[in-house]
Amino acid sequence: MKNLPRAPKALLIGLFSAVVLFACNQNKSADNNQQTAKTEESKKDAVAELSIAYVNIDTLLRNYEFFKKVEKEMKGKQSVIETDLNGRASQLEREIATFQQNVNSGSITIQAAKEQEQQLMQKQQGLMQYRESIGRQYMEEEQKNTEKVFKNIREYVQKYAQDKGYTFILERGGAIVGSGILFADSTRDVTREILKGLNDEYKESSTK
């Protein structure tokens, strides 16, 4: 039997390289699979470690003593402003009515009528400017008070979350559609605990 011809050296090297490359790819694939598995496991562990609670903000505000105090004060100021504005408007209306009567009865000269008309227009413009000014002051004060209320809530919730080990504390409104939370386990509702802490802090600060 004749000896079989030997494979060219270059072909043998090529086959060997292919085998090595296949083996390397297999190892890389196995490493990638292991890495993917580890990543997925890490994600599962991270999710498992998440501790989430939520607060019903409507309930919190309705029962937060500081907010109730601020709201009562602002309603009182609003009532005072409305009374003041209504009084000024009524006074101006009376002056205008008297002016019209005098003009209609002819008991006032044309020159005097022009002067009084100009004065009444200035008073009307002044009342409008006063209304805008007092309204702007009220809105600014209301905004500052609102910011103070939510600043207190945020700061306390942050401390509460750190003390209790919560990763997230979500805000839930009265209506599920508007809250951004479609489902919430009632056992995760920490509204009462946070409300108690906020009111305790407020009472303590009020006595100082």
Side-chain angles (χ1 to χ4, degrees):
M1 182 182 292
K2 295 182 179 180
N3 293 330
L4 294 174
R6 292 185 178 181
K9 186 176 181 180
L11 179 59
L12 291 175
I13 293 174
L15 289 172
F16 177 75
S17 298
V19 172
V20 171
L21 183 60
F22 175 77
C24 289
N25 287 337
Q26 287 292 97
N27 291 334
K28 286 182 180 178
S29 178
D31 291 342
N32 289 338
N33 289 338
Q34 291 179 359
Q35 186 64 33
T36 301
K38 288 181 180 178
T39 302
E40 292 299 325
E41 191 65 28
S42 298
K43 289 181 180 179
K44 290 180 180 179
D45 291 341
V47 172
E49 291 175 0
L50 290 179
S51 182
I52 302 175
Y54 69 90
V55 173
N56 189 310
I57 194 66
D58 293 341
T59 301
L60 195 66
L61 290 176
R62 280 198 306 269
N63 297 280
Y64 183 20
E65 294 299 332
F66 176 62
F67 177 73
K68 290 195 290 185
K69 171 179 173 290
V70 168
E71 190 176 39
K72 183 178 179 180
E73 289 178 351
M74 293 308 297
K75 284 183 178 179
K77 290 183 179 181
Q78 183 180 15
S79 178
V80 170
I81 291 173
E82 289 177 351
T83 301
D84 179 37
L85 289 174
N86 290 336
R88 291 171 183 261
S90 296
Q91 176 63 30
L92 181 58
E93 288 174 359
R94 286 193 294 270
E95 291 182 14
I96 293 174
T98 301
F99 168 74
Q100 289 175 341
Q101 288 177 359
N102 292 335
V103 170
N104 294 334
S105 64
S107 60
I108 186 173
T109 65
I110 296 176
Q111 182 62 31
K114 288 182 178 180
E115 291 177 357
Q116 287 189 20
E117 184 179 20
Q118 184 65 28
Q119 291 174 358
L120 290 172
M121 290 178 63
Q122 290 176 351
K123 285 185 177 182
Q124 187 176 29
Q125 185 177 5
L127 179 59
M128 292 175 62
Q129 292 175 348
Y130 176 75
R131 181 185 289 110
E132 290 177 0
S133 176
I134 202 72
R136 185 167 54 253
Q137 292 176 19
Y138 177 85
M139 293 294 291
E140 289 175 355
E141 185 176 359
E142 186 178 44
Q143 183 177 355
K144 287 180 181 179
N145 286 332
T146 300
E147 289 174 354
K148 176 63 176 175
V149 168
F150 281 96
K151 180 175 180 288
N152 289 353
I153 292 175
R154 283 194 302 270
E155 289 179 351
Y156 184 81
V157 168
Q158 183 177 358
K159 290 188 297 183
Y160 178 87
Q162 292 173 347
D163 292 341
K164 301 293 184 179
Y166 284 111
T167 309
F168 296 102
I169 294 185
L170 308 178
E171 174 188 324
R172 184 181 187 187
I176 295 179
V177 176
S179 68
I181 302 175
L182 298 179
F183 170 77
D185 184 349
S186 61
T187 62
R188 295 289 182 170
D189 186 351
V190 295
T191 306
R192 289 185 179 180
E193 293 179 42
I194 289 178
L195 178 61
K196 183 180 183 304
L198 281 167
N199 284 334
D200 288 345
E201 273 193 351
Y202 171 64
K203 290 177 182 177
E204 184 178 351
S205 63
S206 299
T207 57
K208 292 182 179 179

